[in-house]
Amino acid sequence: MLCGVTEPANPSPHTGRRVAAFFDLDKTIIAKSSTLAFSRPFFQEGLINRRAVLKSAYAQFVFMLAGADTDQMDRMRAHITSLCSGWDVEQVNAIVEETLHDIVDPLVYKEATQLIAEHQEQGHDIVVLSASGEEVVAPISKLLGADHWSGTRMVVADGRYTGEVDFYCSAENKAIAANELAEQNGYDLSECHAYSDSITDLPLLEAVGHPTVINPDRALRKEAVQRGWPSLAFDHPVSLRARIPTPSRAAVTAAGVGMGAVAAAGAAWWGLRAWRRRR
């Protein structure tokens, strides 16, 4: 599991063990889908066609209105991972590195940066868990000052994506990633916090003692009301670059290049279709 390491978090006053705050990325920290935002540079470099760009733009709009359930995410994951089969890893890495700040920087919620800062002041570790690819998750996590992170990883052979998924960081797998990090770093999950907007992250929210929903989709909003979980609304994107220094080229390159980000874009597209059928 790809992760960063900083100073140990302060222990819980109740158990003496360390505490972490687990954050989803899209619509929790980032105002839009970090995945879909990269459709244009991928098109400009010849990795996807115009039809795929139009689908991504439409899905981006509906992403703000509807989520995708686990079955829909799994179906589109299979479709999109086959699409990126054969893509050159170095080319994708270069595209992400060159366009990351222009695309993602204006999308970070002010409220998210404040919440992260509050946890850091309490000595809590910051962990980002996202279905997006690690090529996006890692550099954003570093900019946020996160201690650990995990995203979707694709299998690579001879410098190209095979179309197979090594680790899909979604649904139950997010909870698995959280549990693995808890074992590795001595977190007391009963004292930990988790934040997400999607019903697919219910296993992660259930795994911690302090779950909170942020900009929740309809299904998660209903679940939160029934369980009495706190709900927050984030709606003020700000420039992350103005708040946190830009990393060096080497730091961004070291992030890795899993194409799980594209799989997450497909999930949003299937969420669109499901939302339209429900209307």
Side-chain angles (χ1 to χ4, degrees):
M1 180 179 298
L2 178 66
C3 63
V5 179
T6 61
E7 293 299 320
N10 289 340
S12 163
H14 303 292
T15 65
R17 301 187 68 194
R18 297 168 62 190
V19 176
F22 298 93
F23 286 83
D24 177 42
L25 184 59
D26 297 339
K27 288 189 70 177
T28 303
I29 295 176
I30 302 296
K32 298 181 180 179
S33 167
S34 57
T35 293
L36 298 179
F38 282 91
S39 60
R40 184 172 297 277
F42 284 154
F43 167 72
Q44 292 172 338
E45 295 297 327
L47 291 179
I48 59 177
N49 59 29
R50 186 174 298 276
R51 181 182 179 186
V53 174
L54 292 174
K55 278 189 174 184
S56 293
Y58 194 27
Q60 180 70 272
F61 170 73
V62 178
F63 180 79
M64 306 304 295
L65 303 177
D69 63 28
T70 302
D71 290 341
Q72 291 160 351
M73 292 185 75
D74 287 343
R75 287 198 298 270
M76 188 47 77
R77 176 190 62 172
H79 172 73
I80 296 298
T81 51
S82 65
L83 174 68
C84 70
S85 178
W87 286 8
D88 183 85
V89 172
E90 290 187 2
Q91 182 184 10
V92 173
N93 183 63
I95 293 171
V96 172
E97 179 180 354
E98 291 168 5
T99 61
L100 175 70
H101 294 290
D102 289 338
I103 290 175
V104 175
D105 181 76
L107 303 179
V108 179
Y109 282 122
K110 176 181 179 180
E111 298 93 337
T113 64
Q114 293 172 335
L115 182 58
I116 288 171
E118 290 174 5
H119 279 291
Q120 291 173 327
E121 288 173 0
Q122 296 177 63
H124 299 166
D125 277 3
I126 305 300
V127 181
V128 177
L129 301 176
S130 175
S132 293
E134 287 188 343
E135 83 281 2
V136 173
V137 177
I140 293 176
S141 299
K142 289 181 179 181
L143 285 175
L144 293 166
D147 302 277
H148 305 282
W149 52 83
S150 182
T152 295
R153 295 188 301 272
M154 292 288 290
V155 176
V156 175
D158 298 323
R160 295 182 178 274
Y161 299 111
T162 67
E164 298 176 340
V165 177
D166 179 37
F167 177 72
Y168 188 39
C169 192
S170 178
E172 292 285 350
N173 282 345
K174 274 195 183 179
I176 291 173
N179 275 280
E180 290 180 352
L181 284 167
E183 292 180 3
Q184 294 168 9
N185 298 285
Y187 299 144
D188 179 357
L189 287 178
S190 68
E191 295 288 336
C192 287
H193 303 255
Y195 302 92
S196 178
D197 71 291
S198 174
I199 189 63
T200 59
D201 287 340
L202 187 59
L204 171 63
L205 294 168
E206 292 176 328
V208 301
H210 303 285
T212 299
V213 301
I214 295 175
N215 299 334
D217 58 31
R218 184 180 303 176
L220 184 58
R221 183 182 299 111
K222 180 179 179 180
E223 195 75 30
V225 170
Q226 293 176 344
R227 295 175 183 241
W229 290 347
S231 181
L232 302 175
F234 289 178
D235 56 7
H236 294 95
V238 296
S239 172
L240 185 62
R241 185 179 302 172
R243 290 169 167 264
I244 304 174
T246 301
S248 66
R249 177 185 179 91
V252 175
T253 303
V257 289
M259 276 312 299
V262 183
W269 174 245
W270 274 97
L272 158 64
R273 296 185 62 185
W275 176 77
R276 294 185 65 186
R277 287 197 295 268
R278 293 197 298 266
R279 298 292 290 175

